[in-house]
Coordinates of all heavy atoms in Angstrom, one line a residue:
S197 N -8.0 -16.6 26.1 CA -8.1 -18.1 26.1 C -9.0 -18.6 25.1 O -9.1 -19.8 24.8 CB -8.4 -18.6 27.5 OG -9.6 -18.0 27.9
N198 N -9.8 -17.7 24.4 CA -10.7 -18.2 23.4 C -11.0 -17.1 22.3 O -12.0 -16.5 22.2 CB -12.1 -18.6 24.1 CG -13.0 -19.3 23.1 OD1 -12.5 -19.6 21.9 ND2 -14.2 -19.7 23.5
P199 N -10.0 -17.0 21.4 CA -10.0 -16.0 20.4 C -11.3 -16.2 19.5 O -11.8 -15.2 19.0 CB -8.8 -16.3 19.5 CG -7.9 -17.2 20.3 CD -8.7 -17.9 21.4
G200 N -11.8 -17.4 19.4 CA -12.9 -17.7 18.5 C -14.2 -16.9 19.0 O -15.0 -16.5 18.2
E201 N -14.2 -16.7 20.3 CA -15.3 -15.9 20.9 C -15.3 -14.5 20.4 O -16.3 -13.9 20.1 CB -15.2 -16.0 22.4 CG -16.5 -16.3 23.2 CD -16.2 -16.4 24.6 OE1 -15.7 -17.5 25.1 OE2 -16.3 -15.4 25.3
F202 N -14.1 -13.9 20.3 CA -14.0 -12.6 19.8 C -14.4 -12.5 18.3 O -15.1 -11.6 17.9 CB -12.6 -12.0 20.0 CG -12.4 -10.6 19.4 CD1 -13.2 -9.6 19.8 CD2 -11.4 -10.4 18.4 CE1 -13.1 -8.3 19.2 CE2 -11.3 -9.1 17.8 CZ -12.1 -8.1 18.3
I203 N -14.0 -13.6 17.6 CA -14.4 -13.6 16.2 C -15.9 -13.6 16.0 O -16.5 -13.0 15.2 CB -13.7 -14.9 15.5 CG1 -12.2 -14.7 15.4 CG2 -14.3 -15.1 14.1 CD1 -11.7 -13.6 14.5
D204 N -16.6 -14.4 17.0 CA -18.0 -14.4 16.9 C -18.6 -13.0 17.1 O -19.6 -12.6 16.5 CB -18.6 -15.2 18.1 CG -18.3 -16.7 17.9 OD1 -18.1 -17.1 16.7 OD2 -18.3 -17.5 18.9
I205 N -18.0 -12.2 18.0 CA -18.4 -10.8 18.2 C -18.2 -10.0 16.9 O -19.1 -9.2 16.5 CB -17.7 -10.2 19.4 CG1 -18.3 -10.9 20.7 CG2 -17.9 -8.7 19.5 CD1 -17.5 -10.6 21.9
V206 N -17.1 -10.1 16.3 CA -16.8 -9.4 15.1 C -17.8 -9.7 14.1 O -18.4 -8.9 13.4 CB -15.3 -9.7 14.6 CG1 -15.1 -8.9 13.3 CG2 -14.3 -9.3 15.6
I207 N -18.1 -11.0 13.9 CA -19.1 -11.5 12.9 C -20.5 -11.0 13.3 O -21.2 -10.4 12.4 CB -19.1 -13.0 12.8 CG1 -17.8 -13.5 12.3 CG2 -20.3 -13.5 12.0 CD1 -17.6 -15.0 12.3
N208 N -20.9 -11.2 14.5 CA -22.4 -10.9 14.8 C -22.7 -9.5 15.1 O -23.8 -9.0 14.9 CB -22.8 -11.8 16.0 CG -22.7 -13.3 15.6 OD1 -23.0 -13.7 14.4 ND2 -22.2 -14.1 16.5
D209 N -21.7 -8.8 15.7 CA -21.9 -7.5 16.2 C -21.3 -6.4 15.2 O -22.0 -5.4 14.8 CB -21.4 -7.4 17.6 CG -21.8 -6.0 18.3 OD1 -22.6 -5.3 17.6 OD2 -21.3 -5.8 19.4
Y210 N -20.0 -6.6 14.9 CA -19.3 -5.5 14.2 C -19.7 -5.5 12.7 O -19.9 -4.4 12.1 CB -17.8 -5.6 14.3 CG -17.3 -5.5 15.7 CD1 -15.9 -5.6 16.0 CD2 -18.2 -5.2 16.8 CE1 -15.5 -5.5 17.3 CE2 -17.7 -5.0 18.1 CZ -16.3 -5.2 18.3 OH -15.8 -5.1 19.6
L211 N -19.6 -6.7 12.0 CA -19.8 -6.7 10.6 C -21.1 -6.0 10.1 O -21.1 -5.2 9.1 CB -19.7 -8.1 10.0 CG -18.2 -8.7 10.0 CD1 -18.3 -10.1 9.4 CD2 -17.3 -7.8 9.1
P212 N -22.2 -6.3 10.8 CA -23.5 -5.6 10.3 C -23.3 -4.1 10.4 O -23.8 -3.4 9.6 CB -24.5 -6.1 11.3 CG -24.0 -7.4 11.8 CD -22.5 -7.3 11.8
K213 N -22.6 -3.6 11.5 CA -22.4 -2.2 11.6 C -21.5 -1.6 10.6 O -21.8 -0.5 10.0 CB -21.8 -1.9 13.0 CG -22.8 -2.1 14.2 CD -22.1 -1.7 15.5 CE -23.0 -2.1 16.7 NZ -22.3 -2.4 17.9
I214 N -20.5 -2.4 10.2 CA -19.5 -1.9 9.2 C -20.2 -1.9 7.8 O -20.0 -1.0 7.0 CB -18.3 -2.8 9.2 CG1 -17.5 -2.6 10.5 CG2 -17.4 -2.6 7.9 CD1 -16.8 -1.2 10.6
E215 N -21.1 -2.9 7.6 CA -21.8 -2.9 6.3 C -22.8 -1.7 6.3 O -22.8 -1.0 5.2 CB -22.7 -4.2 6.2 CG -23.4 -4.2 4.9 CD -24.3 -5.5 4.8 OE1 -24.5 -6.2 5.8 OE2 -24.7 -5.8 3.6
A216 N -23.4 -1.4 7.4 CA -24.4 -0.2 7.4 C -23.6 1.1 7.2 O -24.0 2.0 6.5 CB -25.2 -0.2 8.7
D217 N -22.4 1.1 7.8 CA -21.6 2.3 7.7 C -21.1 2.6 6.2 O -21.1 3.7 5.8 CB -20.3 2.2 8.6 CG -19.4 3.3 8.5 OD1 -19.7 4.3 9.2 OD2 -18.4 3.3 7.8
G218 N -20.8 1.5 5.5 CA -20.6 1.6 4.1 C -19.2 2.1 3.6 O -19.0 2.2 2.5
R219 N -18.3 2.4 4.6 CA -17.0 3.0 4.1 C -15.9 2.0 3.8 O -15.0 2.3 3.2 CB -16.6 4.0 5.1 CG -17.4 5.3 5.1 CD -17.0 6.3 6.1 NE -17.2 5.9 7.5 CZ -16.9 6.6 8.6 NH1 -16.4 7.8 8.4 NH2 -17.1 6.1 9.8
C220 N -16.1 0.8 4.4 CA -15.0 -0.2 4.2 C -15.3 -1.1 2.9 O -16.5 -1.5 2.7 CB -14.9 -1.1 5.4 SG -14.1 -0.3 6.8
K221 N -14.3 -1.3 2.2 CA -14.4 -2.2 1.0 C -13.9 -3.6 1.3 O -14.4 -4.5 0.7 CB -13.5 -1.5 -0.1 CG -13.8 -1.9 -1.5 CD -13.1 -0.8 -2.4 CE -13.0 -1.3 -3.8 NZ -12.4 -0.4 -4.7
F222 N -13.0 -3.7 2.3 CA -12.4 -5.0 2.5 C -12.4 -5.3 4.0 O -12.6 -4.5 4.9 CB -10.9 -4.9 2.1 CG -10.7 -4.6 0.6 CD1 -10.4 -3.3 0.3 CD2 -10.9 -5.5 -0.3 CE1 -10.2 -2.9 -1.1 CE2 -10.8 -5.2 -1.7 CZ -10.5 -3.9 -2.0
C223 N -12.2 -6.7 4.3 CA -12.1 -7.1 5.6 C -10.8 -8.0 5.7 O -10.5 -8.8 4.8 CB -13.2 -8.0 6.0 SG -13.2 -8.6 7.7
D224 N -9.9 -7.7 6.7 CA -8.6 -8.3 6.8 C -8.6 -9.0 8.2 O -9.3 -8.7 9.1 CB -7.5 -7.3 6.7 CG -6.2 -7.8 6.2 OD1 -5.9 -9.0 6.4 OD2 -5.4 -7.0 5.7
V225 N -7.7 -10.0 8.3 CA -7.5 -10.7 9.6 C -6.0 -11.1 9.7 O -5.4 -11.4 8.7 CB -8.4 -11.9 9.7 CG1 -8.3 -12.9 8.5 CG2 -8.2 -12.7 11.0
F226 N -5.5 -11.0 10.9 CA -4.1 -11.4 11.2 C -4.1 -12.9 11.5 O -4.4 -13.4 12.6 CB -3.6 -10.6 12.4 CG -2.1 -10.7 12.6 CD1 -1.2 -11.4 11.7 CD2 -1.5 -10.2 13.7 CE1 0.1 -11.4 11.9 CE2 -0.1 -10.3 13.9 CZ 0.7 -10.9 13.0
C227 N -3.9 -13.8 10.5 CA -3.9 -15.2 10.6 C -2.5 -15.6 11.0 O -1.6 -15.6 10.1 CB -4.4 -15.8 9.3 SG -4.4 -17.6 9.3
E228 N -2.2 -15.9 12.2 CA -0.8 -16.1 12.6 C -0.8 -16.9 13.9 O -1.7 -16.9 14.7 CB -0.2 -14.7 12.9 CG 1.3 -14.7 13.2 CD 2.1 -15.3 12.0 OE1 2.1 -14.8 10.9 OE2 2.7 -16.4 12.3
K229 N 0.3 -17.6 14.1 CA 0.5 -18.4 15.3 C 0.4 -17.4 16.5 O 0.9 -16.3 16.5 CB 1.9 -19.0 15.3 CG 2.1 -19.9 16.5 CD 3.5 -20.5 16.5 CE 3.8 -21.0 17.8 NZ 5.2 -20.8 18.3
G230 N -0.4 -17.8 17.5 CA -0.6 -16.9 18.7 C -1.6 -15.8 18.5 O -1.9 -15.0 19.4
V231 N -2.1 -15.7 17.2 CA -3.2 -14.7 17.0 C -4.4 -15.4 16.5 O -4.9 -16.3 17.2 CB -2.7 -13.6 16.0 CG1 -3.6 -12.4 16.0 CG2 -1.2 -13.1 16.3
F232 N -4.9 -15.3 15.3 CA -6.1 -16.0 14.9 C -5.7 -17.2 14.0 O -4.9 -17.1 13.1 CB -7.1 -15.1 14.2 CG -7.5 -14.0 15.1 CD1 -7.1 -12.7 14.9 CD2 -8.4 -14.3 16.1 CE1 -7.5 -11.7 15.8 CE2 -8.8 -13.3 17.0 CZ -8.3 -12.0 16.8
N233 N -6.3 -18.4 14.3 CA -5.9 -19.6 13.5 C -6.7 -19.5 12.1 O -7.6 -18.7 11.9 CB -6.2 -20.9 14.3 CG -7.6 -21.1 14.6 OD1 -8.5 -20.5 13.9 ND2 -7.9 -21.8 15.7
A234 N -6.3 -20.5 11.3 CA -6.9 -20.5 9.9 C -8.4 -20.7 9.9 O -9.1 -20.1 9.1 CB -6.2 -21.6 9.1
E235 N -8.8 -21.5 10.9 CA -10.3 -21.8 10.9 C -11.1 -20.6 11.3 O -12.1 -20.3 10.6 CB -10.4 -22.9 12.0 CG -11.7 -23.7 12.0 CD -11.8 -24.6 13.2 OE1 -10.8 -25.3 13.4 OE2 -12.8 -24.5 13.9
D236 N -10.7 -19.9 12.3 CA -11.4 -18.7 12.7 C -11.3 -17.6 11.7 O -12.2 -16.8 11.4 CB -10.9 -18.1 14.1 CG -11.4 -18.9 15.3 OD1 -12.5 -19.5 15.1 OD2 -10.7 -18.9 16.3
S237 N -10.1 -17.5 11.0 CA -9.9 -16.5 10.0 C -10.9 -16.8 8.8 O -11.5 -15.9 8.3 CB -8.5 -16.6 9.4 OG -7.6 -16.3 10.4
K238 N -11.1 -18.1 8.5 CA -12.0 -18.4 7.4 C -13.4 -18.1 7.8 O -14.1 -17.5 6.9 CB -11.8 -19.9 7.1 CG -12.6 -20.4 5.9 CD -12.3 -21.8 5.6 CE -13.3 -22.4 4.5 NZ -12.9 -23.7 4.1
R239 N -13.8 -18.4 9.0 CA -15.2 -18.1 9.4 C -15.4 -16.6 9.3 O -16.5 -16.2 8.8 CB -15.2 -18.5 10.9 CG -16.3 -19.4 11.3 CD -16.1 -20.2 12.5 NE -15.4 -19.5 13.7 CZ -16.0 -18.7 14.5 NH1 -17.3 -18.4 14.4 NH2 -15.3 -18.2 15.5
L240 N -14.5 -15.8 9.7 CA -14.7 -14.4 9.7 C -14.8 -13.9 8.2 O -15.7 -13.1 7.9 CB -13.5 -13.7 10.4 CG -13.4 -12.2 10.2 CD1 -14.6 -11.5 10.8 CD2 -12.1 -11.6 10.8
L241 N -13.9 -14.3 7.4 CA -13.8 -13.8 6.0 C -15.1 -14.3 5.2 O -15.6 -13.5 4.4 CB -12.5 -14.2 5.3 CG -11.3 -13.6 6.0 CD1 -10.0 -14.1 5.3 CD2 -11.3 -12.0 6.0
E242 N -15.5 -15.5 5.5 CA -16.8 -15.9 4.9 C -18.0 -15.0 5.3 O -18.8 -14.6 4.4 CB -17.1 -17.4 5.2 CG -16.2 -18.5 4.6 CD -16.4 -18.6 3.1 OE1 -17.1 -17.8 2.5 OE2 -15.8 -19.6 2.6
A243 N -18.0 -14.7 6.6 CA -19.1 -13.8 7.0 C -18.9 -12.4 6.4 O -19.9 -11.8 6.1 CB -19.0 -13.8 8.6
A244 N -17.7 -12.0 6.3 CA -17.4 -10.6 5.8 C -18.0 -10.5 4.4 O -18.6 -9.5 4.0 CB -15.9 -10.3 5.8
K245 N -17.9 -11.6 3.6 CA -18.4 -11.6 2.2 C -19.9 -11.3 2.2 O -20.4 -10.6 1.4 CB -18.1 -12.9 1.5 CG -16.6 -13.0 1.1 CD -16.4 -13.9 -0.1 CE -16.4 -15.3 0.4 NZ -15.9 -16.2 -0.7
K246 N -20.5 -12.0 3.2 CA -22.0 -11.8 3.3 C -22.4 -10.4 3.6 O -23.5 -10.0 3.4 CB -22.6 -12.8 4.3 CG -22.4 -14.3 3.9 CD -23.3 -15.2 4.7 CE -23.0 -16.6 4.4 NZ -22.3 -17.4 5.4
H247 N -21.5 -9.7 4.2 CA -21.8 -8.3 4.5 C -21.2 -7.3 3.5 O -20.9 -6.1 3.7 CB -21.3 -7.9 5.9 CG -22.1 -8.6 7.0 ND1 -23.3 -8.1 7.4 CD2 -21.9 -9.7 7.7 CE1 -23.8 -8.9 8.3 NE2 -23.0 -9.9 8.5
G248 N -20.8 -7.9 2.3 CA -20.4 -7.0 1.2 C -18.9 -6.6 1.2 O -18.5 -5.7 0.5
L249 N -18.1 -7.2 2.1 CA -16.7 -6.9 2.2 C -15.9 -8.0 1.5 O -16.2 -9.2 1.6 CB -16.3 -6.8 3.6 CG -17.0 -5.8 4.5 CD1 -16.5 -5.9 6.0 CD2 -16.8 -4.4 4.0
T250 N -14.9 -7.5 0.8 CA -14.0 -8.5 0.1 C -12.9 -8.9 1.0 O -12.3 -8.1 1.6 CB -13.4 -7.8 -1.2 OG1 -14.5 -7.4 -2.0 CG2 -12.5 -8.7 -2.0
P251 N -12.6 -10.2 1.1 CA -11.6 -10.7 2.0 C -10.1 -10.4 1.6 O -9.8 -10.5 0.4 CB -11.8 -12.2 2.1 CG -13.1 -12.5 1.4 CD -13.3 -11.3 0.5
K252 N -9.4 -10.1 2.6 CA -7.9 -10.0 2.6 C -7.4 -10.8 3.8 O -8.1 -10.9 4.7 CB -7.4 -8.5 2.7 CG -7.6 -7.7 1.4 CD -7.1 -6.3 1.6 CE -7.1 -5.5 0.3 NZ -6.0 -5.8 -0.6
I253 N -6.1 -11.2 3.7 CA -5.6 -11.9 4.9 C -4.1 -11.7 5.1 O -3.4 -11.8 4.1 CB -6.0 -13.4 4.8 CG1 -5.5 -14.2 6.0 CG2 -5.4 -14.0 3.5 CD1 -6.1 -15.7 6.0
H254 N -3.7 -11.4 6.3 CA -2.3 -11.4 6.7 C -1.9 -12.9 6.9 O -2.4 -13.5 7.9 CB -2.1 -10.7 8.0 CG -2.0 -9.2 7.9 ND1 -3.0 -8.4 7.4 CD2 -1.0 -8.3 8.2 CE1 -2.7 -7.1 7.4 NE2 -1.5 -7.0 7.9
A255 N -1.1 -13.4 6.0 CA -0.8 -14.8 6.1 C 0.7 -15.1 6.0 O 1.4 -14.4 5.3 CB -1.5 -15.5 4.9
D256 N 1.1 -16.1 6.7 CA 2.5 -16.6 6.7 C 3.6 -15.5 7.0 O 4.7 -15.5 6.4 CB 2.9 -17.2 5.3 CG 2.0 -18.3 4.9 OD1 1.2 -18.9 5.7 OD2 2.0 -18.7 3.7
E257 N 3.2 -14.5 7.8 CA 4.1 -13.5 8.1 C 5.3 -14.0 9.0 O 6.5 -13.7 8.7 CB 3.4 -12.3 8.8 CG 4.4 -11.1 9.2 CD 3.7 -9.9 9.8 OE1 2.5 -9.9 9.9 OE2 4.5 -9.0 10.1
I258 N 4.9 -14.8 10.0 CA 5.9 -15.3 10.9 C 6.0 -16.8 10.9 O 7.1 -17.4 10.9 CB 5.6 -14.7 12.4 CG1 5.8 -13.2 12.3 CG2 6.6 -15.3 13.4 CD1 5.0 -12.4 13.4
E259 N 4.8 -17.4 10.8 CA 4.8 -18.9 10.6 C 3.7 -19.2 9.6 O 2.7 -18.5 9.5 CB 4.5 -19.5 12.0 CG 5.7 -19.4 12.9 CD 5.8 -20.6 13.9 OE1 5.2 -21.6 13.7 OE2 6.5 -20.4 14.9
E260 N 3.9 -20.3 9.0 CA 2.9 -20.8 8.0 C 1.9 -21.7 8.7 O 2.2 -22.8 9.2 CB 3.6 -21.6 6.9 CG 2.7 -21.9 5.7 CD 3.4 -22.7 4.6 OE1 4.2 -23.6 4.9 OE2 3.2 -22.3 3.4
I261 N 0.7 -21.1 8.9 CA -0.3 -21.9 9.6 C -1.6 -22.1 8.8 O -2.7 -22.3 9.4 CB -0.7 -21.3 11.0 CG1 -1.3 -19.9 10.8 CG2 0.5 -21.2 11.9 CD1 -2.1 -19.4 12.0
G262 N -1.5 -22.1 7.5 CA -2.7 -22.4 6.7 C -3.4 -21.1 6.1 O -4.5 -21.2 5.6
G263 N -2.8 -20.0 6.2 CA -3.4 -18.8 5.7 C -3.6 -18.7 4.2 O -4.6 -18.2 3.7
T264 N -2.7 -19.4 3.4 CA -2.8 -19.4 2.0 C -4.0 -20.2 1.5 O -4.8 -19.9 0.6 CB -1.5 -19.9 1.3 OG1 -1.1 -21.0 1.9 CG2 -0.5 -18.8 1.3
K265 N -4.2 -21.3 2.2 CA -5.3 -22.2 1.9 C -6.6 -21.5 2.2 O -7.6 -21.5 1.4 CB -5.2 -23.5 2.8 CG -6.4 -24.4 2.7 CD -6.3 -25.4 1.5 CE -7.3 -26.5 1.6 NZ -8.7 -26.2 1.9
T266 N -6.6 -20.8 3.3 CA -7.8 -20.0 3.7 C -8.1 -18.9 2.7 O -9.2 -18.7 2.2 CB -7.6 -19.3 5.1 OG1 -7.3 -20.3 6.0 CG2 -8.8 -18.5 5.6
A267 N -7.0 -18.2 2.2 CA -7.1 -17.2 1.2 C -7.8 -17.8 0.0 O -8.7 -17.2 -0.6 CB -5.8 -16.6 0.9
A268 N -7.3 -19.0 -0.5 CA -7.9 -19.6 -1.7 C -9.3 -20.0 -1.4 O -10.2 -19.8 -2.3 CB -7.0 -20.8 -2.1
D269 N -9.6 -20.6 -0.3 CA -10.9 -21.1 0.0 C -12.0 -20.0 0.0 O -13.1 -20.2 -0.5 CB -11.0 -21.8 1.4 CG -10.3 -23.1 1.4 OD1 -10.0 -23.6 0.3 OD2 -10.1 -23.7 2.5
V270 N -11.6 -18.8 0.5 CA -12.6 -17.7 0.6 C -12.5 -16.8 -0.6 O -13.2 -15.8 -0.7 CB -12.5 -16.9 1.9 CG1 -12.6 -17.7 3.1 CG2 -11.2 -16.1 1.9
R271 N -11.6 -17.2 -1.6 CA -11.4 -16.3 -2.8 C -11.0 -14.9 -2.3 O -11.6 -13.9 -2.8 CB -12.6 -16.3 -3.7 CG -12.8 -17.6 -4.4 CD -11.8 -17.8 -5.5 NE -12.0 -19.0 -6.3 CZ -11.3 -20.2 -6.1 NH1 -10.6 -20.4 -5.1 NH2 -11.5 -21.2 -6.9

Side-chain angles (χ1 to χ4, degrees):
S197 54
N198 192 1
E201 227 176 276
F202 177 58
I203 294 293
D204 290 338
I205 289 171
V206 178
I207 292 174
N208 299 321
D209 188 5
Y210 298 177
L211 286 179
K213 290 183 187 151
I214 290 294
E215 181 180 15
D217 178 81
R219 289 180 291 182
C220 289
K221 199 163 164 180
F222 302 101
C223 182
D224 202 338
V225 54
F226 192 10
C227 179
E228 188 59 64
K229 188 182 161 217
V231 194
F232 298 105
N233 64 26
E235 196 188 310
D236 282 335
S237 300
K238 185 170 170 180
R239 234 158 37 79
L240 169 64
L241 296 177
E242 288 290 9
K245 284 205 281 193
K246 296 196 183 109
H247 289 282
L249 302 175
T250 302
K252 282 180 174 281
I253 182 168
H254 279 58
D256 304 345
E257 178 176 358
I258 297 155
E259 290 209 16
E260 191 178 40
I261 62 157
T264 46
K265 171 85 168 47
T266 304
D269 286 349
V270 303
R271 289 286 183 267

